[in-house]
Amino acid sequence: MIRVGIFGATGYAGYELLRWLRRHPEVRVVFAASESSAGASLADVIPGPLDTPLIAPDEAPLGDVDLVFLALPHGAAGKMARRARAAGVRVIDFSADFRLATPESYRRWYGHDHPAPELLPAPYGLPELNRAALRGAMLIANPGCYPTGMLLGVAPLLMAGALTDPLIIVDAKSGVSGAGRAPKQNTHFVEVNENLAPYSIGQVHRHVGEMRQEAQRIARGVAPEIVFTPQLLPVSRGILSTIYLRIPDDWSEDRVRALYREQYADEPFVRVLSAGALATLGHTTDTNVCAISLTLARPGLLIVVSSEDNMVKGAAGQAIQNMNLMFGLDETTGLV
Amino acid sequence: MIRVGIFGATGYAGYELLRWLRRHPEVRVVFAASESSAGASLADVIPGPLDTPLIAPDEAPLGDVDLVFLALPHGAAGKMARRARAAGVRVIDFSADFRLATPESYRRWYGHDHPAPELLPAPYGLPELNRAALRGAMLIANPGCYPTGMLLGVAPLLMAGALTDPLIIVDAKSGVSGAGRAPKQNTHFVEVNENLAPYSIGQVHRHVGEMRQEAQRIARGVAPEIVFTPQLLPVSRGILSTIYLRIPDDWSEDRVRALYREQYADEPFVRVLSAGALATLGHTTDTNVCAISLTLARPGLLIVVSSEDNMVKGAAGQAIQNMNLMFGLDETTGLV
Amino acid sequence: MIRVGIFGATGYAGYELLRWLRRHPEVRVVFAASESSAGASLADVIPGPLDTPLIAPDEAPLGDVDLVFLALPHGAAGKMARRARAAGVRVIDFSADFRLATPESYRRWYGHDHPAPELLPAPYGLPELNRAALRGAMLIANPGCYPTGMLLGVAPLLMAGALTDPLIIVDAKSGVSGAGRAPKQNTHFVEVNENLAPYSIGQVHRHVGEMRQEAQRIARGVAPEIVFTPQLLPVSRGILSTIYLRIPDDWSEDRVRALYREQYADEPFVRVLSAGALATLGHTTDTNVCAISLTLARPGLLIVVSSEDNMVKGAAGQAIQNMNLMFGLDETTGLV
Amino acid sequence: MIRVGIFGATGYAGYELLRWLRRHPEVRVVFAASESSAGASLADVIPGPLDTPLIAPDEAPLGDVDLVFLALPHGAAGKMARRARAAGVRVIDFSADFRLATPESYRRWYGHDHPAPELLPAPYGLPELNRAALRGAMLIANPGCYPTGMLLGVAPLLMAGALTDPLIIVDAKSGVSGAGRAPKQNTHFVEVNENLAPYSIGQVHRHVGEMRQEAQRIARGVAPEIVFTPQLLPVSRGILSTIYLRIPDDWSEDRVRALYREQYADEPFVRVLSAGALATLGHTTDTNVCAISLTLARPGLLIVVSSEDNMVKGAAGQAIQNMNLMFGLDETTGLV
């Protein structure tokens, strides 16, 4: 049994993680910590079946666990990672603190110094594109929700060096759980309901830095450039990304699909849809799957639609997939 | 032209009022005040067509208006009402400050002293049940959203002295705009969406005091008693109240319907549905109408379903109806 | 391994069943049948992770299974049950065909002759109230979604003979999956969204017959009578029932709660909430749990709020619970 | 007073038209026709305040009206237009029948012969781009919902010949009312709720033909080409289009905004948002406004976000605007 602890258990990602871990046969949750709700039961905070007792982060028995999941704000996560690593405990971090490879890049996108630069670089936890670096790792940076769907959606073409224009347009729509559980004006029910609201569009959203870094790492040929349009959707969970790419004029849709199918042939959590089918949020709700559809709009212009559940493949499910890799388990354990 | 000012313009009720007043041919909005957003345009705060400039409450030119609408929290509303009345300006108050007839009753339900007891009692602004007192009034207490639908739903039977049991069960479901615009955990999109949540049920919600007072005022025979179950519905606006009443065993549904139709025969804003039809939220969305259906569940037990738009008949529309009465206009002006 | 077959796999209940059975360690799904979509994969019909091949009902290999689940319309279910029983196969029926104990009662509520009267009466599959009859049964009538939540919500008081008035008022609100997957005007997104719509209220909904039969079976003292107000809620899944009951004036809320806690002490799927907490849909979403809160509105009047996921405890989850009882497994297997 | 008749009054667009016409001071609705619901009142079909009696289309007194609105399926609309024009009645057609300029283009996109080719070409009813042709017109083709928002969103740049690449990518999301009122599987509440579903993406949706025709008509320089990604959004009304355009590298966002502001300076129903603001559905809900935001993602790449209410500016409101032009009224009459 892997003994795990969770920090940030009362956020949406932490809660989702606990929900999935209930069904994982090789995990025992030793503690769940919450700054704001220590002393309560999780069921007091989020109505539902999970009555896990919540402890204060300072009282977390790091000596009793093999692994901690950090579902904390960036900055705080890095500090806790340092503490956990000093105690010899492995770390899977949901925050952005270890996704960017250098302290400089981190400062550029997050506006402050990195909280634990000595731990950089950490392997980027997108198993389908970086599996070798994750097996047995001590610290893994769990990817951002948007980058997960975007990167899986474009990777085969990047790897094949098939883009004829470096520009990748990502028109992405996310459920509100991605904005966190703290109440804000823009997550008030009445403001979200019957609405669709773009925010931080162009090249300013922090996930652009992460997408660009990873896209460039895997790309052959031109260095890809990303234009990103995140939008808040009136649903609780899920991300649908519509991605526009330029490919050679003589590539057929079948050729593209064959390339994707080959790349993802052995992947349990990527599903390349058949010709004529279009990915929807419903394809992946409550699963660890990324579903991808491919449509040639006209010669040379490809529309990739990538669907994921932002709370599962975009957060807790991917973290469990990474944990399975860390500890040498079958990658799908606890994720079906 | 009636010259009006609005305090609390950036709350949902204040905003809705401005939306309706655009179409009122006899009103000129002289100012709209907001504590939190003075200096901005309303369109900066709530995206949409209303670009009314917002001023600070302290700078409101009371001398330039005939009437102010107070869409302020209780307590603050009473103080502003005093200020307005001292300046000779009429007042329609959306808050609870003038709904209860005595300072004692107010203290019992709101937990603090009344902010302007010298202005009590004020006429209760439910025109269909209290029209005479509203014509020409200087201060009107605009009713609560829940009491409006509940009182219109039971009034004909109360007036007829037809209840055989004093107990009135009100199972009410409200859209989230009723909870106000300030973000709170229980109005976070993810907490409301795909949920239905009762709160303050039994006899503890503050509207119980208001319902009881007004129900007793109009009732013949037994003094009615109210059990109230408010529930937060995943919609933006509207209240549907299902009301359970005991009536004489020998009353037919037709007899009840005839009683309601007679009571509301000349009312432009009450609609008694035909046999077989059931009131839904959709019957009244974006209208100043209260729609009522009547179903005899079995001899002696009546189910009244009452539908209203909480932002219109439950707030801004009713306030305009009251204004029309105050100033001797046709009651429907600006409300179609 | 229990070898099972499913008829009606492309309806919401059949699909939900397959979704849960994936995680059941003792079940092998031998076939999934669909009249309308034979030859397709389930994933072609309902986007998502289940790619089960669908066969025609006539080609179902009854000889290869131990149990069939019938997620078929009433009438059709009874005929298939006869066929399955003739082949020696056990049956769990989701339809109403075996819920009412006599052909006469069935004809009264469903308007036509019973399709397989020789199989009546079948045990009513609400384990918490009828467990003994379900162990090892060959045919089980899976309860209706509304009756499940209602009966669990009132059973302790009925068993204790504690109602002082036979009338039980059930104000129930259901998600739209309860209305089935066939598109109808009243399930069109635009008609449901931002709406709340009562239907078949009073004593005319077919579930009234089922509730009354089972309530009377377990009640001591007065024969309970039910008034039922079903309402269509703009959510996909879940039922919240607010139930109004008269109890002795000298019973405290604590006494009621103690009674419920004793009755359900060993039940893994019933959760009696603590004083002050109110059941919401969120308490039970995607679980096989029925959550119950108890509020004494005033002496003698109790409000029970009962929450269940209509697709799980109200359909597929309860069917699996019944299957576990049928085959002598731990009742919670595959349901966590 | 303009005497008008409406065909197709029980569809969403016809209903919305009646809702707005109530407030139009210069219009008298002489009849409302419905094939399916003749003899009923509109309130029997769609719960709400409109109790207009419905007549059979064949009994419509064309001799008593000056204008008919056709909210009918394409094909049927063309035939009715012929009948109305033969009777000397003016026509505003909501369908696609008169949007494409030639019978050949119509056959290519709609797959059958044009129902009334002698009436082609009709002026395209987008006042902001074609006002001169609409004043006093006898027949107007009311534009499609998607093309309205898209064309207003790109017109200033097309007119200025400022595109450096002919490709216009339109990622559009529409509320479900756009799919019509007839129940279908893909408009079932449970299929739409918590989902986002692309359909007919690339260059196959029929609105591509309409967009291309009108874009080419107003463009200087390169002939624009359109890639279009329509998506079904879980809201009742509204369209948000995110549009990606290539412009000269040395154009600043301010220069673009100045161009748009100049083009739309006198337009009452186009709102160009200020720098930093992004258009959302909420900006235009229940208004006849198209709101446009402009974001330079990086030099040479512009993101236009265009918001409209598909039922108002995308259908009924624009039809009223066209009627006002037809009859020489102020264009905003009845639309505030």
Side-chain angles (χ1 to χ4, degrees), chain B residues 209-269:
Chain B
E210 183 182 340
M211 291 185 205
R212 188 188 293 164
Q213 169 186 290
E214 293 302 306
Q216 291 182 355
R217 192 169 61 80
I218 61 176
R220 285 200 307 134
V222 296
E225 188 206 358
I226 288 140
V227 162
F228 179 51
T229 307
Q231 292 154 89
L232 200 61
L233 198 63
V235 307
S236 289
R237 49 165 70 204
I239 290 178
L240 197 81
S241 299
T242 314
I243 307 170
Y244 300 90
L245 301 162
R246 306 260 188 162
I247 58 172
D249 283 355
D250 62 351
W251 280 45
S252 69
E253 191 179 290
D254 283 350
R255 179 169 174 181
V256 177
R257 188 169 290 105
L259 179 73
Y260 275 67
R261 291 222 152 128
E262 189 187 345
Q263 173 68 30
Y264 294 132
D266 299 323
E267 291 299 344
F269 296 122

Side-chain angles (χ1 to χ4, degrees), chain C residues 77-93:
Chain C
K79 282 177 202 149
M80 186 62 80
R82 174 180 283 163
R83 199 179 126 200
R85 291 302 304 122
V89 175
R90 300 197 203 210
V91 173
I92 294 178
D93 179 28

Side-chain angles (χ1 to χ4, degrees), chain C residues 299-333:
Chain C
L301 193 95
L302 185 74
I303 308 177
V304 179
V305 186
S306 165
S307 164
E308 59 172 318
D309 187 320
N310 66 316
M311 287 287 113
V312 191
K313 185 61 178 166
Q318 185 138 275
I320 292 172
Q321 194 179 349
N322 281 320
M323 177 192 72
N324 290 341
L325 279 166
M326 235 180 197
F327 288 88
L329 302 178
D330 181 287
E331 206 167 317
T332 65
T333 310

Side-chain angles (χ1 to χ4, degrees), chain B residues 171 173 225 229 244 298, chain C residues 171 225 229 231 244 298:
Chain B
D171 194 283
K173 305 90 181 174
E225 188 206 358
T229 307
Y244 300 90
R298 54 123 226 224
Chain C
D171 194 284
E225 188 205 358
T229 307
Q231 291 154 90
Y244 300 91
R298 53 124 228 224

